[in-house]
Amino acid sequence: MNKQTILVVEDDTSVKNLITTTLKASGYKYVTASNGTTAIIEASSHNPDIVLLDLGLPDMDGIEVINKIRSWSLMPIIVISARSEDNDKIAALDAGADDYLTKPFSVEELLARLRVTIRRLSMMNTDASVNNSVFENGALRVDYAAGCVYVNDAELHLTPIEYKLLCLLCQNVGKVLTHTLITQKIWGSSWDNDIASLRVFMATLRKKLEKADNSAQYIQTHIGVGYRMIKV
Ligand code: CA
């Protein structure tokens, strides 16, 4: 069964219903947004596996949504455009969209595009886990096998929790990780006091990183949502 979550960004209710009905019937999970502002919020808070993005949105250009998402995530974006938006389609691909569908499209075509994207995604994930026994980002280097962290070649001394937090962020570089997800992974629970502890550990981890390298900001706070390791 498919377990991927798809973010459907579409302001036309009938098209949105067609897409969500199709997704549901094929076992996908989905979230929806009917304008660009909501799309960007949903993309960062739900971390969907794929975004289906209509280019003609009421509040902003779909291209702008791609640019915003691409500033912090490589999540696959499939653009949905009407024939009259052909130039926009090219601009969308240039801005970092992965694929496109032209309206009107068949549900079979939609599902085929999703399957191709998911296949590509799973291949990428396999590559990443095989090759990445060392993570590097700017002056930061994490040697997972040795369990050591270096900044500008000097070892950084972290507590076990700080180390686990840093690894989690590195393994999801570019993605916003929610407080709930982080506390679940680190403590196995997500009570209010876990989230309070998370703030404390994150603050000390950050302080250590900043002390070792004040030229780059590695961890970004998304207020009310979570944290993200920035690719520097
Ligand atoms: Ca539209």
Side-chain angles (χ1 to χ4, degrees):
M1 191 180 134
N2 298 309
K3 290 209 175 98
Q4 287 85 3
T5 300
I6 318 288
L7 170 59
V8 182
V9 187
E10 174 63 75
D11 59 320
D12 182 327
T13 312
S14 56
V15 178
K16 184 158 74 186
N17 289 345
L18 170 70
I19 295 174
T20 54
T21 310
T22 306
L23 293 178
K24 203 171 175 181
S26 301
Y28 291 101
K29 286 182 250 169
Y30 62 84
V31 277
T32 62
S34 48
N35 59 57
T37 313
T38 318
I40 292 159
I41 294 171
E42 294 292 325
S44 77
S45 58
H46 281 96
N47 225 340
D49 297 289
I50 300 174
V51 182
L52 283 175
L53 175 69
D54 174 33
L55 284 183
L57 296 169
D59 61 335
M60 66 173 85
D61 202 315
I63 308 284
E64 214 176 307
V65 178
I66 299 174
N67 286 330
K68 283 267 162 54
I69 293 178
R70 280 290 170 265
S71 72
W72 53 268
S73 172
L74 289 172
M75 63 177 70
I77 301 173
I78 303 176
V79 157
I80 302 175
S81 72
R83 284 240 182 262
S84 58
E85 296 163 344
D86 243 9
N87 283 332
D88 296 350
K89 190 163 76 188
I90 294 160
L93 292 171
D94 282 342
D98 297 84
D99 203 353
Y100 64 86
L101 271 166
T102 303
K103 284 179 192 172
F105 55 86
S106 69
V107 295
E108 287 78 14
E109 189 184 358
L110 167 66
L111 291 172
R113 300 278 178 179
L114 288 174
R115 282 194 300 271
V116 168
T117 306
I118 288 160
R119 216 158 36 224
R120 204 160 45 208
L121 209 58
S122 70
M123 274 163 64
M124 261 168 55
N125 288 342
T126 317
D127 285 354
S129 59
V130 170
N131 296 330
N132 290 3
S133 58
V134 174
F135 170 87
E136 280 181 288
N137 186 16
L140 171 69
R141 184 157 54 90
V142 182
D143 185 333
Y144 295 128
C148 295
V149 179
Y150 303 88
V151 175
N152 286 321
D153 293 325
E155 192 174 351
L156 197 66
H157 296 284
L158 300 179
T159 66
I161 298 240
E162 288 163 359
Y163 177 73
K164 276 171 89 175
L165 274 175
L166 182 66
C167 289
L168 186 62
L169 289 165
C170 293
Q171 283 153 2
N172 295 282
V173 64
K175 293 184 191 166
V176 178
L177 302 180
T178 60
H179 297 133
T180 315
L181 184 135
I182 299 173
T183 49
Q184 284 284 358
K185 294 262 185 198
I186 306 289
W187 290 283
S189 55
S190 183
W191 305 105
D192 284 351
N193 57 350
D194 294 325
I195 292 173
S197 309
L198 172 62
R199 288 214 175 85
V200 175
F201 284 110
M202 203 57 99
T204 60
L205 171 61
R206 247 191 179 142
K207 221 168 270 170
K208 287 181 183 179
L209 283 170
E210 267 164 33
K211 208 175 158 202
D213 176 16
N214 57 20
S215 68
Q217 190 207 12
Y218 292 99
I219 302 169
Q220 191 177 56
T221 303
H222 288 246
I223 295 162
V225 181
Y227 300 93
R228 164 167 83 99
M229 161 84 54
I230 304 168
K231 207 159 182 81
V232 297

